[in-house]
Amino acid sequence: MRVEEAPWLEFVHGKLEVKAGPDGNRGQIIAWLTRWCPQADPDRWLYAYQGLRIGTDREGNARPDAVLAPIDTFVGQGEWASPDDVLMVVEVTSYDEDTDRRDRVEKPRAYAETGILVYLLIDRDSCEVKVHSGPDGVRYEQVVTVPYGKTVTLPDPVGIELDTEPLKSWVR
């Protein structure tokens, strides 16, 4: 494997996970979100690829595509930071065989167990946005799914409306 094709490693629910590195469209989606997320509160930032300790016992590690948190949340923390002040995590599906299990099953469970308030999944396979909220320590109690092109409300504490029309340009 060449260096530019090297995968990222995560440790989710006691299993070592391999995640494809970001492609140009995934990076564009994250850049686009950085314009939207500070709207409701300029004292927070969307951090790309910040590693988090996740799971009930916090011994798991995940590197979400983006993390919304107050400014300076991760100052002084290492590669795998505490998720305590995280408001939202964002995942953009990869075009690999493990994205279904990883992004649609394991990560929502791990993020809900961790108590992360909102999980935003941008699903490039189905051309849908899924907003998970209301973690109960095991799972998210609410999941809202909208097709690309619709507006979706990211619930508090995120508190913004997201017009998903531009996402149509960043799928295969």
Side-chain angles (χ1 to χ4, degrees):
M1 178 177 287
R2 296 184 345 213
V3 172
E4 67 266 13
E5 296 173 352
W8 291 356
L9 300 177
E10 300 176 304
F11 192 63
V12 180
H13 285 119
K15 294 183 286 189
L16 188 62
E17 300 279 335
V18 177
K19 176 179 179 175
D23 59 55
N25 285 353
R26 183 191 287 174
Q28 181 63 38
I29 291 168
I30 299 306
W32 168 74
L33 283 171
T34 62
R35 296 180 69 200
W36 284 97
C37 288
Q39 284 183 354
D41 184 346
D43 291 327
R44 57 190 186 190
W45 193 255
L46 190 72
Y47 297 87
Y49 313 116
Q50 172 62 54
L52 296 175
R53 290 188 310 274
I54 61 165
T56 306
D57 56 12
R58 302 282 169 90
E59 291 181 8
N61 294 324
R63 189 175 306 283
D65 292 316
V67 176
L68 182 68
I71 291 174
D72 294 336
T73 293
F74 302 114
V75 172
Q77 297 198 45
E79 180 177 1
W80 303 107
S82 167
D84 290 345
D85 293 324
V86 170
L87 306 173
M88 177 177 74
V89 292
V90 179
E91 295 286 359
V92 179
T93 57
S94 303
Y95 295 114
D96 65 30
E97 58 195 44
D98 291 331
T99 199
D100 184 57
R101 176 186 45 77
R102 183 181 58 247
D103 294 334
R104 298 181 190 106
V105 178
E106 292 177 357
K107 291 248 182 117
R109 191 175 104 210
Y111 293 147
E113 288 174 355
T114 303
I116 294 172
L117 301 173
V118 178
Y119 170 44
L120 175 63
L121 177 63
I122 298 175
D123 195 323
R124 295 188 291 172
D125 293 320
S126 65
C127 295
E128 295 175 324
V129 172
K130 294 183 188 238
V131 180
H132 300 74
S133 62
D136 68 3
V138 176
R139 62 183 171 76
Y140 285 103
E141 293 183 340
Q142 292 90 35
V143 180
V144 174
T145 303
V146 300
Y148 287 4
K150 300 281 185 176
T151 298
V152 65
T153 299
L154 303 179
D156 288 336
V158 180
I160 64 171
E161 287 195 356
L162 191 62
D163 176 5
T164 66
E165 183 69 29
L167 294 173
K168 291 178 178 180
S169 299
W170 303 316
V171 294
R172 284 188 194 172

PDB file of all heavy atoms in Angstrom, residues 109-123:
ATOM      1  N   ARG A 109     -24.009   3.757  17.743  1.00  0.00           N
ATOM      2  CA  ARG A 109     -24.099   3.141  19.067  1.00  0.00           C
ATOM      3  C   ARG A 109     -23.008   3.677  19.991  1.00  0.00           C
ATOM      4  O   ARG A 109     -23.278   4.065  21.130  1.00  0.00           O
ATOM      5  CB  ARG A 109     -24.022   1.622  18.959  1.00  0.00           C
ATOM      6  CG  ARG A 109     -24.382   0.925  20.262  1.00  0.00           C
ATOM      7  CD  ARG A 109     -24.409  -0.568  20.102  1.00  0.00           C
ATOM      8  NE  ARG A 109     -23.196  -1.092  20.715  1.00  0.00           N
ATOM      9  CZ  ARG A 109     -22.564  -2.184  20.348  1.00  0.00           C
ATOM     10  NH1 ARG A 109     -23.007  -2.890  19.340  1.00  0.00           N
ATOM     11  NH2 ARG A 109     -21.497  -2.577  20.971  1.00  0.00           N
ATOM     12  N   ALA A 110     -21.772   3.719  19.500  1.00  0.00           N
ATOM     13  CA  ALA A 110     -20.659   4.190  20.327  1.00  0.00           C
ATOM     14  C   ALA A 110     -20.820   5.659  20.706  1.00  0.00           C
ATOM     15  O   ALA A 110     -20.572   6.056  21.847  1.00  0.00           O
ATOM     16  CB  ALA A 110     -19.335   3.970  19.598  1.00  0.00           C
ATOM     17  N   TYR A 111     -21.256   6.487  19.755  1.00  0.00           N
ATOM     18  CA  TYR A 111     -21.437   7.907  20.056  1.00  0.00           C
ATOM     19  C   TYR A 111     -22.584   8.112  21.042  1.00  0.00           C
ATOM     20  O   TYR A 111     -22.511   8.969  21.925  1.00  0.00           O
ATOM     21  CB  TYR A 111     -21.680   8.710  18.777  1.00  0.00           C
ATOM     22  CG  TYR A 111     -20.490   8.764  17.842  1.00  0.00           C
ATOM     23  CD1 TYR A 111     -20.674   8.821  16.464  1.00  0.00           C
ATOM     24  CD2 TYR A 111     -19.178   8.764  18.313  1.00  0.00           C
ATOM     25  CE1 TYR A 111     -19.597   8.882  15.593  1.00  0.00           C
ATOM     26  CE2 TYR A 111     -18.092   8.812  17.449  1.00  0.00           C
ATOM     27  CZ  TYR A 111     -18.309   8.882  16.097  1.00  0.00           C
ATOM     28  OH  TYR A 111     -17.243   8.945  15.236  1.00  0.00           O
ATOM     29  N   ALA A 112     -23.667   7.336  20.922  1.00  0.00           N
ATOM     30  CA  ALA A 112     -24.782   7.436  21.873  1.00  0.00           C
ATOM     31  C   ALA A 112     -24.344   6.984  23.263  1.00  0.00           C
ATOM     32  O   ALA A 112     -24.701   7.608  24.267  1.00  0.00           O
ATOM     33  CB  ALA A 112     -25.972   6.612  21.392  1.00  0.00           C
ATOM     34  N   GLU A 113     -23.571   5.904  23.338  1.00  0.00           N
ATOM     35  CA  GLU A 113     -23.055   5.437  24.624  1.00  0.00           C
ATOM     36  C   GLU A 113     -22.177   6.497  25.279  1.00  0.00           C
ATOM     37  O   GLU A 113     -22.179   6.650  26.495  1.00  0.00           O
ATOM     38  CB  GLU A 113     -22.234   4.157  24.445  1.00  0.00           C
ATOM     39  CG  GLU A 113     -23.048   2.938  24.141  1.00  0.00           C
ATOM     40  CD  GLU A 113     -22.191   1.716  23.828  1.00  0.00           C
ATOM     41  OE1 GLU A 113     -20.943   1.840  23.763  1.00  0.00           O
ATOM     42  OE2 GLU A 113     -22.773   0.631  23.634  1.00  0.00           O
ATOM     43  N   THR A 114     -21.444   7.226  24.472  1.00  0.00           N
ATOM     44  CA  THR A 114     -20.545   8.265  24.965  1.00  0.00           C
ATOM     45  C   THR A 114     -21.315   9.489  25.431  1.00  0.00           C
ATOM     46  O   THR A 114     -20.809  10.283  26.213  1.00  0.00           O
ATOM     47  CB  THR A 114     -19.543   8.647  23.839  1.00  0.00           C
ATOM     48  OG1 THR A 114     -18.857   7.458  23.435  1.00  0.00           O
ATOM     49  CG2 THR A 114     -18.522   9.658  24.306  1.00  0.00           C
ATOM     50  N   GLY A 115     -22.552   9.651  24.955  1.00  0.00           N
ATOM     51  CA  GLY A 115     -23.375  10.799  25.339  1.00  0.00           C
ATOM     52  C   GLY A 115     -23.233  11.987  24.410  1.00  0.00           C
ATOM     53  O   GLY A 115     -23.643  13.102  24.762  1.00  0.00           O
ATOM     54  N   ILE A 116     -22.677  11.778  23.230  1.00  0.00           N
ATOM     55  CA  ILE A 116     -22.574  12.864  22.256  1.00  0.00           C
ATOM     56  C   ILE A 116     -23.983  13.191  21.788  1.00  0.00           C
ATOM     57  O   ILE A 116     -24.729  12.314  21.349  1.00  0.00           O
ATOM     58  CB  ILE A 116     -21.632  12.475  21.107  1.00  0.00           C
ATOM     59  CG1 ILE A 116     -20.210  12.334  21.675  1.00  0.00           C
ATOM     60  CG2 ILE A 116     -21.696  13.504  19.991  1.00  0.00           C
ATOM     61  CD1 ILE A 116     -19.201  11.764  20.718  1.00  0.00           C
ATOM     62  N   LEU A 117     -24.354  14.460  21.878  1.00  0.00           N
ATOM     63  CA  LEU A 117     -25.748  14.870  21.731  1.00  0.00           C
ATOM     64  C   LEU A 117     -26.313  14.717  20.323  1.00  0.00           C
ATOM     65  O   LEU A 117     -27.483  14.398  20.164  1.00  0.00           O
ATOM     66  CB  LEU A 117     -25.902  16.312  22.211  1.00  0.00           C
ATOM     67  CG  LEU A 117     -25.496  16.511  23.676  1.00  0.00           C
ATOM     68  CD1 LEU A 117     -25.500  17.984  24.033  1.00  0.00           C
ATOM     69  CD2 LEU A 117     -26.417  15.718  24.584  1.00  0.00           C
ATOM     70  N   VAL A 118     -25.491  14.956  19.291  1.00  0.00           N
ATOM     71  CA  VAL A 118     -25.967  14.868  17.909  1.00  0.00           C
ATOM     72  C   VAL A 118     -24.927  14.137  17.075  1.00  0.00           C
ATOM     73  O   VAL A 118     -23.727  14.420  17.173  1.00  0.00           O
ATOM     74  CB  VAL A 118     -26.229  16.271  17.305  1.00  0.00           C
ATOM     75  CG1 VAL A 118     -26.675  16.171  15.850  1.00  0.00           C
ATOM     76  CG2 VAL A 118     -27.267  17.028  18.126  1.00  0.00           C
ATOM     77  N   TYR A 119     -25.396  13.194  16.264  1.00  0.00           N
ATOM     78  CA  TYR A 119     -24.560  12.498  15.291  1.00  0.00           C
ATOM     79  C   TYR A 119     -25.154  12.769  13.924  1.00  0.00           C
ATOM     80  O   TYR A 119     -26.291  12.392  13.643  1.00  0.00           O
ATOM     81  CB  TYR A 119     -24.523  10.997  15.581  1.00  0.00           C
ATOM     82  CG  TYR A 119     -23.880  10.145  14.512  1.00  0.00           C
ATOM     83  CD1 TYR A 119     -22.690  10.511  13.897  1.00  0.00           C
ATOM     84  CD2 TYR A 119     -24.471   8.940  14.122  1.00  0.00           C
ATOM     85  CE1 TYR A 119     -22.103   9.715  12.923  1.00  0.00           C
ATOM     86  CE2 TYR A 119     -23.890   8.137  13.157  1.00  0.00           C
ATOM     87  CZ  TYR A 119     -22.707   8.524  12.560  1.00  0.00           C
ATOM     88  OH  TYR A 119     -22.126   7.736  11.586  1.00  0.00           O
ATOM     89  N   LEU A 120     -24.391  13.462  13.080  1.00  0.00           N
ATOM     90  CA  LEU A 120     -24.821  13.780  11.723  1.00  0.00           C
ATOM     91  C   LEU A 120     -24.109  12.847  10.760  1.00  0.00           C
ATOM     92  O   LEU A 120     -22.883  12.842  10.693  1.00  0.00           O
ATOM     93  CB  LEU A 120     -24.473  15.245  11.397  1.00  0.00           C
ATOM     94  CG  LEU A 120     -24.749  15.714   9.967  1.00  0.00           C
ATOM     95  CD1 LEU A 120     -26.241  15.653   9.636  1.00  0.00           C
ATOM     96  CD2 LEU A 120     -24.207  17.134   9.762  1.00  0.00           C
ATOM     97  N   LEU A 121     -24.888  12.044  10.041  1.00  0.00           N
ATOM     98  CA  LEU A 121     -24.343  11.123   9.043  1.00  0.00           C
ATOM     99  C   LEU A 121     -24.716  11.629   7.661  1.00  0.00           C
ATOM    100  O   LEU A 121     -25.899  11.753   7.335  1.00  0.00           O
ATOM    101  CB  LEU A 121     -24.882   9.708   9.242  1.00  0.00           C
ATOM    102  CG  LEU A 121     -24.433   8.679   8.195  1.00  0.00           C
ATOM    103  CD1 LEU A 121     -22.928   8.483   8.214  1.00  0.00           C
ATOM    104  CD2 LEU A 121     -25.160   7.362   8.405  1.00  0.00           C
ATOM    105  N   ILE A 122     -23.718  11.929   6.866  1.00  0.00           N
ATOM    106  CA  ILE A 122     -23.934  12.316   5.479  1.00  0.00           C
ATOM    107  C   ILE A 122     -23.641  11.072   4.656  1.00  0.00           C
ATOM    108  O   ILE A 122     -22.488  10.657   4.519  1.00  0.00           O
ATOM    109  CB  ILE A 122     -23.051  13.516   5.094  1.00  0.00           C
ATOM    110  CG1 ILE A 122     -23.461  14.703   5.976  1.00  0.00           C
ATOM    111  CG2 ILE A 122     -23.192  13.826   3.613  1.00  0.00           C
ATOM    112  CD1 ILE A 122     -22.626  15.933   5.817  1.00  0.00           C
ATOM    113  N   ASP A 123     -24.712  10.460   4.175  1.00  0.00           N
ATOM    114  CA  ASP A 123     -24.628   9.160   3.509  1.00  0.00           C
ATOM    115  C   ASP A 123     -24.560   9.354   2.003  1.00  0.00           C
ATOM    116  O   ASP A 123     -25.560   9.637   1.349  1.00  0.00           O
ATOM    117  CB  ASP A 123     -25.837   8.315   3.909  1.00  0.00           C
ATOM    118  CG  ASP A 123     -25.656   6.856   3.567  1.00  0.00           C
ATOM    119  OD1 ASP A 123     -25.051   6.554   2.507  1.00  0.00           O
ATOM    120  OD2 ASP A 123     -26.107   6.012   4.364  1.00  0.00           O
TER     121      ASP A 123
END
